[in-house]
Amino acid sequence: MRQVAKSPSHQVVFCSAYPERPTMVYLAVALVAVAALCTWDLLLTLAVLRRLRDRPHSTRGADSGGIPVGATVGSFATRCAEGAPLTERDIADGALVAFFTTGCLPCRNKLPAFVEEARTMGGRRQVIAVVVSPGATPDETAEAETMARQLAPVARVLVEEPDGPCTAAFGVTAFPSQFAVAAAGGTAPTVRAVGNAALTASPVGSA
């Protein structure tokens, strides 16, 4: 900023060494705002990456989402959502075992049709439905409870965390997944079919 002082005989020019103070204030505020936005964006990105890392993998390709046809189901001991104990020895011959997870769009899309298909299986003894949920947020817990209520009329329902007993026994890594199981003669159950073929491979059993 230049200031000119006039006198009768001469002019004196004063030069300010400082810029306009309002401009400095606005610039400082803008820099602080940008830094805050960048920090918030970084925190959100880290949170999303953590959730993706912890969430079970969801995919439509369920045919390779667990142990293969002919494999023996691993040993496990757990309890159904209603409190009844369940082990691999309790899986009926020809039973259908299906796995769903929260936060999985293919699971949500498949579940209503699965419920209708499960009604043809001959009773809840012939269907085991596993709902996998980290339960890290109220939304995940609420969604798991909703899935369990929808499945309860047609299946024995388990609600497990990732890598829970039944999920680990079937080696499930993709959702939704479903398996037809053979368990004749009291032997350890084995997988007869996987994916969409599991439904057609499972004979109707008794309730």
Side-chain angles (χ1 to χ4, degrees), residues 88-127:
E88 77 281 2
R89 298 288 180 174
D90 297 316
I91 302 177
D93 183 39
L96 177 67
V97 184
F99 295 82
F100 302 90
T101 188
T102 56
C104 168
L105 182 59
C107 295
R108 295 192 195 107
N109 292 339
K110 173 67 177 176
L111 194 143
F114 174 83
V115 169
E116 292 305 314
E117 293 164 344
R119 294 186 194 280
T120 69
M121 294 295 297
R124 296 175 69 245
R125 177 175 167 76
Q126 292 300 120
V127 184

Side-chain angles (χ1 to χ4, degrees), residues 148-160:
R149 283 196 300 269
Q150 291 176 307
L151 292 162
V154 297
R156 290 181 284 178
V157 179
L158 307 176
V159 178
E160 297 187 341

Side-chain angles (χ1 to χ4, degrees), residues 37-58:
L37 286 174
C38 290
T39 302
W40 179 248
D41 183 66
L42 177 61
L43 292 174
L44 286 177
T45 301
L46 291 175
V48 170
L49 290 175
R50 190 178 297 111
R51 288 288 300 277
L52 290 174
R53 180 195 63 192
D54 295 339
R55 182 177 297 281
H57 178 57
S58 299

